[in-house]
Amino acid sequence: MKPRAKKPLFAVLGALVITGAGMAPAVAAGTGEAAAPVLQAEVKTSAGQAETRVPATQKEAEAPAVRAVDFAGTVALSNCSGSVVRMPGSEADDPALVLSNGHCLESGFPEPGEVIVDQPSSRTFGLLNSAGTRVATLRASKIAYATMTDTDMSLYQLTSTYQQIQNSYGIKALELNAARPAAGTAIKVVSGYWKRIYSCSVDGFAYRLKEGSWTWKDSVRYTSSCNTIGGTSGSPVIDNATGKVVAVNNTGNEDGGRCTDNNPCEVDQNGNITVRRGINYAQQTYQVVPCVGLDNKIDLSRSGCTLPKP
């Protein structure tokens, strides 16, 4: 996983300095080459649902018309990408939230099983307009939620409200879709760190995605054209048809390794392992919506909230 700047996904957070940008998180990487032949092996793990794949030709044929997706509302972190997001029920005077990856935290990767809630933070984010120009610096008041268990996600609460951001810079927050995306959905991965947009489709879902010490559930697998690189970690994954966020970009298999840092593997419900070199992944975000209550406060006790708890 990268705070994707390229090396290590998890364990080797130290390592990569991206020219002119700083350290990139170790998760979303990609080689840009077509996926190599799939390698399979058996492991004694349990799981529970079959994954769904849609053939590339069918995906292309069924993809809805491409919508104009740009950089407005995305942000650049010191080591990752992110976006200003709102829930379907968020109000204009609510404190705004920034979505990124758990492995992009300024404090480093959370441990397996660790969940962070309401931790003070003064981290800053560069807000981009539609053209990808930095127009403002936003500041966090706290890490509202973060984990790398079951998912790889962080939500920062800002000192600004949605209305203040819109009034000052003319930029609206991106909305999280409350529904799970479907295989074949045409998507864009929008990186504020690199000011680059990747276009592809949802190829299917990994029942479990294992990388080093971390395991994520029901991860989105991209088709090969979303060959994301270090620094794209935390980018919003946007449904072309609705313009809503359906996932957060987080990792990819760089070298064909099996379940190691920067080389996640898929584990199905029967414990079979599949390795897809050069293929990249994201974590779904629809599960966040039921966990956000009045005033945009994260409330893990709300009905329907399934995010990991401390």
Side-chain angles (χ1 to χ4, degrees):
M1 265 145 337
K2 316 173 163 190
R4 285 213 77 182
K6 248 210 164 180
K7 282 267 141 342
L9 176 151
F10 304 94
V12 196
L13 197 165
L16 245 206
V17 175
I18 300 236
T19 305
M23 228 185 286
V27 173
T31 63
E33 49 188 271
V38 170
L39 309 175
Q40 296 204 348
E42 298 283 330
V43 289
K44 300 196 176 200
T45 323
S46 61
Q49 296 170 331
E51 66 158 303
T52 305
R53 292 197 70 204
V54 175
T57 53
Q58 182 181 341
K59 283 188 295 222
E60 310 286 352
E62 296 180 353
V66 175
R67 182 186 176 96
V69 173
D70 55 35
F71 295 99
T74 63
V75 299
L77 285 68
S78 57
N79 58 348
C80 288
S81 300
S83 56
V84 180
V85 297
R86 59 178 294 138
M87 307 304 122
S90 293
E91 307 207 350
D93 61 353
D94 286 341
L97 299 173
V98 162
L99 170 70
S100 189
N101 286 146
H103 77 258
C104 293
L105 293 180
E106 61 268 43
S107 55
F109 296 174
E111 295 295 327
E114 182 180 5
V115 176
I116 297 165
V117 177
D118 292 338
Q119 177 177 297
S121 173
S122 58
R123 191 168 195 180
T124 57
F125 311 89
L127 177 66
L128 306 185
N129 64 13
S130 60
T133 301
R134 181 171 177 149
V135 296
T137 297
L138 304 176
R139 185 175 295 277
S141 60
K142 66 180 180 180
I143 300 169
Y145 182 85
T147 190
M148 285 178 65
T149 298
D150 294 350
T151 185
D152 183 8
M153 180 185 300
S154 61
L155 284 165
Y156 286 85
Q157 181 175 300
L158 301 183
T159 57
S160 307
T161 66
Y162 295 117
Q163 192 66 63
Q164 288 170 333
I165 293 172
Q166 186 172 346
N167 289 349
S168 298
Y169 314 109
I171 295 174
K172 294 182 179 181
L174 300 175
E175 183 176 324
L176 293 193
N177 197 327
R180 183 179 187 272
T185 298
I187 54 175
K188 292 188 184 298
V189 181
V190 187
S191 172
Y193 185 85
W194 288 117
K195 300 178 177 62
R196 179 175 174 183
I197 298 176
Y198 301 81
S199 298
C200 62
S201 297
V202 174
D203 185 53
F205 304 91
Y207 175 76
R208 297 290 184 267
L209 190 66
K210 179 173 174 55
E211 183 172 345
S213 302
W214 290 266
T215 299
W216 304 303
K217 298 179 177 179
D218 200 22
S219 303
V220 171
R221 178 177 62 247
Y222 306 142
T223 51
S224 60
S225 53
C226 277
N227 53 341
T228 50
I229 60 174
T232 62
S233 286
S235 299
V237 178
I238 299 174
D239 182 330
N240 290 358
T242 65
K244 295 181 181 181
V245 177
V246 295
V248 57
N249 182 60
N250 84 306
T251 195
N253 188 293
E254 297 183 352
D255 309 311
R258 185 171 174 271
C259 314
T260 60
D261 292 350
N262 298 316
N263 288 290
C265 64
E266 299 182 20
V267 183
D268 71 13
Q269 63 271 29
N270 297 314
N272 301 311
I273 288 181
T274 300
V275 173
R276 304 180 193 275
R277 182 178 180 180
I279 294 300
N280 297 289
Y281 301 87
Q283 301 307 307
Q284 300 189 59
T285 52
Y286 73 94
Q287 315 96 311
V288 175
V289 176
C291 303
V292 180
L294 190 65
D295 299 327
N296 255 11
K297 181 174 177 55
I298 305 297
D299 181 358
L300 302 178
S301 65
R302 295 188 86 223
S303 176
C305 179
T306 60
L307 288 177
K309 301 171 176 57

